[in-house]
Amino acid sequence: MIVPQWIYSLADELAASRSKISAGIYHSGTDKFRGEREHTISSLGIRAELTVRYKVWSNPNSCDVNFAPIIDTGPVVGVDMKYNGETYDIKGAERSKGYLMVNYDAHNNPEKSCDWYLFVIFNDNQAEIKKVHYTQISQWPVINSTYTKVYKWQI
């Protein structure tokens, strides 16, 4: 699908706000610290969430859908979307990076448990959405990434 330019712009603006709100929680020395990549990582995740919302809301037959807030007064623990009785965690990925990642601790946190992961894979102004069942993630290789342990899968 083609991703409208406004999604990129809005994701960048919202990421700046979300990073400021979370700065007191996700700072150096915490397991959620992202260092200099905070804005980039946050923007990618928000871009993925906005892309899924755009796709869902563009479908006139979509019903029974709820999304978690993109911005709140603190981090939102829980699923990103409930759609027709199923729960989803939405993740962004850049095709040029060549892999999908899920934070190890978040995946194994019962409060963050979901039925499905939706990976929005960006390639320039295009996006592909890949649906992966929650149980499949545990079968992916685990690696130590820059800031934390992750499940990682080559695209």
Side-chain angles (χ1 to χ4, degrees):
M1 76 179 269
I2 295 174
V3 181
Q5 185 57 45
W6 65 262
I7 288 180
Y8 288 84
S9 300
L10 184 56
D12 191 53
E13 291 176 31
L14 292 172
S17 295
R18 185 153 81 178
S19 295
K20 286 177 185 173
I21 291 167
S22 301
I25 298 164
Y26 298 151
H27 53 81
S28 183
T30 66
D31 63 341
K32 303 289 186 230
F33 180 63
R34 297 171 170 172
E36 295 175 2
R37 301 207 39 202
E38 166 60 34
H39 181 80
T40 302
I41 293 168
S42 188
S43 182
L44 176 62
I46 292 170
R47 189 175 358 134
E49 290 179 48
L50 290 172
T51 300
V52 170
R53 287 177 187 218
Y54 176 73
K55 182 167 178 61
V56 168
W57 290 335
S58 294
N59 179 352
N61 297 322
S62 291
C63 61
D64 193 26
V65 61
N66 292 333
F67 291 96
I70 289 178
I71 296 230
D72 207 338
T73 56
V76 177
V77 177
V79 298
D80 294 321
M81 178 178 74
K82 292 180 184 176
Y83 186 72
N84 292 334
E86 295 185 313
T87 57
Y88 296 83
D89 195 1
I90 301 168
K91 301 290 182 193
E94 297 286 358
R95 180 160 300 282
S96 61
K97 298 280 187 190
Y99 51 82
L100 306 176
M101 291 192 316
V102 174
N103 179 287
Y104 181 88
D105 292 333
H107 177 72
N108 293 297
N109 178 350
E111 292 182 33
K112 189 86 167 127
S113 182
C114 60
D115 298 314
W116 299 94
Y117 284 93
L118 283 184
F119 291 94
V120 183
I121 305 165
F122 295 97
N123 189 17
D124 296 322
N125 69 335
Q126 299 281 325
E128 169 193 351
I129 298 176
K130 181 175 178 62
K131 184 176 171 181
V132 179
H133 195 268
Y134 176 85
T135 57
Q136 288 181 277
I137 302 300
S138 299
Q139 299 168 21
W140 292 7
V142 176
I143 62 132
N144 287 315
S145 188
T146 307
Y147 301 108
T148 187
K149 191 161 52 168
V150 298
Y151 292 99
K152 186 174 180 179
W153 190 259
Q154 190 169 357
I155 300 173

